[in-house]
Amino acid sequence: MQQKFYKYQGTGNDFVMIDNRQLKFDKNNTKLVAHLCDRRFGIGADGLILLENHDTYDFKMVYYNSDGRESSMCGNGGRCLVAFAQQLGVIENHAVFEAVDGLHHASIADGIVRLQMQDVGNIDNKEGYVFLDTGSPHHVQFEEAIDSFDVKTIGANIRYGAPYFQEGTNVNFVKKLSEDAFRLRTYERGVENETLSCGTGATAVAIAMHYIGETEKNLVKLKVEGGELEVSFDLNNGTYSNVWLIGPAKLVFEGSYGNA
């Protein structure tokens, strides 16, 4: 039996999308997920996302990293899923959906998706880095020589090292460009490599930079390897709320896999 898939990307962060409203996809088959995400023997992607029915909201998001394991929230994946839901006719221009970290609101217009992220209240400002959770855990640190920086090697060392160890964290390296703009490169756990973009990482960097006083703006531009994202937020009583991740989401191609 053949399974139809769609390939989407959001600033270079790419995903295999599958309409699983009929619940025909084997969600326990981690080897299949990893195979589909493999860039040499499969379709190739940073992750795989299932769109499923929800009793109350527009749809449910189920996200897998490219290693085949179900994972924490993926911001760019959520944005791409909103575009996919619009293509399927599940939504028009607005969406409310459930992901692993809870409820999300979103809107889409002219290929730009605005995705509301979770509130952030617990931020650890450590010596040399900031740690916070924006739906996924993120380590944020400055790196001036960011263009020539070995993100994969050093990112992996931080991801598996103290205080994160096996559970790990995503690792973001940042360079300030201006009062409201930052350059960002991210090592993603589960992918175990640098990705061209990370939505929860961009969100984490924007909030972290505001928290430590590197910007006073509440609309921050993030230049990632695959393009540009924006993050807006409000700060009330020590909690970052009304957090929005903003950027493009595009269909790359579609096809099918399996036996004819």
Side-chain angles (χ1 to χ4, degrees):
M1 183 181 71
Q2 288 198 315
Q3 170 71 62
K4 190 169 181 63
F5 71 85
Y6 300 79
K7 175 79 173 283
Y8 274 79
Q9 63 89 8
T11 53
N13 207 185
D14 58 344
F15 308 94
V16 173
M17 298 286 188
I18 293 178
D19 178 0
N20 197 39
R21 287 176 292 174
Q22 303 301 317
L23 299 178
K24 293 182 179 180
F25 187 84
D26 185 357
K27 295 165 70 172
N28 296 316
N29 193 340
T30 57
K31 290 185 178 179
L32 174 60
V33 174
H35 171 73
L36 293 175
C37 292
D38 191 287
R39 297 191 182 279
R40 293 175 176 82
F41 298 101
I43 300 164
D46 292 325
L48 181 144
I49 304 177
L50 304 177
L51 185 147
E52 297 185 349
N53 286 322
H54 194 286
D55 292 338
T56 307
Y57 306 112
D58 292 312
F59 55 89
K60 178 181 179 182
M61 171 182 179
V62 182
Y63 174 68
Y64 299 85
N65 277 328
S66 60
D67 62 4
R69 292 181 291 185
E70 193 169 350
S71 186
S72 50
M73 180 58 185
C74 176
N76 285 330
R79 293 193 308 98
C80 287
L81 189 62
V82 171
F84 181 42
Q86 184 188 56
Q87 180 189 343
L88 293 176
V90 174
I91 65 165
E92 292 185 1
N93 302 112
H94 295 86
V96 183
F97 68 94
E98 184 182 54
V100 66
D101 64 337
L103 203 61
H104 291 267
H105 292 257
S107 64
I108 179 170
D110 300 322
I112 302 297
V113 180
R114 296 171 50 90
L115 174 67
Q116 188 174 29
M117 307 295 283
Q118 301 301 325
D119 292 355
V120 178
N122 187 18
I123 303 174
D124 293 327
N125 188 6
K126 303 290 189 179
E127 184 176 353
Y129 70 93
V130 179
F131 179 80
L132 65 164
D133 194 310
T134 54
S136 290
H138 283 277
H139 172 110
V140 178
Q141 70 178 53
F142 281 107
E143 181 55 52
E144 189 63 26
I146 196 167
D147 289 329
S148 59
F149 192 69
D150 188 350
V151 171
K152 182 176 182 179
T153 301
I154 299 174
N157 289 339
I158 295 171
R159 179 256 196 266
Y160 285 105
Y164 308 116
F165 299 114
Q166 191 57 42
E167 182 177 349
T169 183
N170 301 285
V171 185
N172 304 273
F173 302 100
V174 186
K175 180 178 181 178
K176 187 172 183 176
L177 301 178
S178 67
E179 171 60 21
D180 66 345
F182 297 85
R183 175 91 158 82
L184 167 63
R185 296 179 68 184
T186 301
Y187 177 96
E188 282 200 56
R189 67 172 186 175
V191 179
E192 306 310 332
N193 206 340
E194 180 179 11
T195 55
L196 295 182
S197 178
C198 176
T200 55
T203 305
V205 167
I207 291 174
M209 294 301 100
H210 188 273
Y211 183 79
I212 64 176
E214 289 293 332
T215 181
E216 295 182 352
K217 306 294 186 180
N218 65 349
L219 176 62
V220 179
K221 300 179 178 66
L222 290 311
K223 183 180 179 182
V224 299
E225 293 293 277
E228 293 186 1
L229 294 167
E230 291 184 322
V231 175
S232 65
F233 50 78
D234 295 324
L235 176 60
N236 295 298
N237 299 319
T239 295
Y240 288 88
S241 60
N242 198 28
V243 181
W244 292 87
L245 173 66
I246 307 160
K250 298 180 180 180
L251 173 67
V252 182
F253 61 86
E254 58 187 82
S256 59
Y257 67 88
N259 297 322

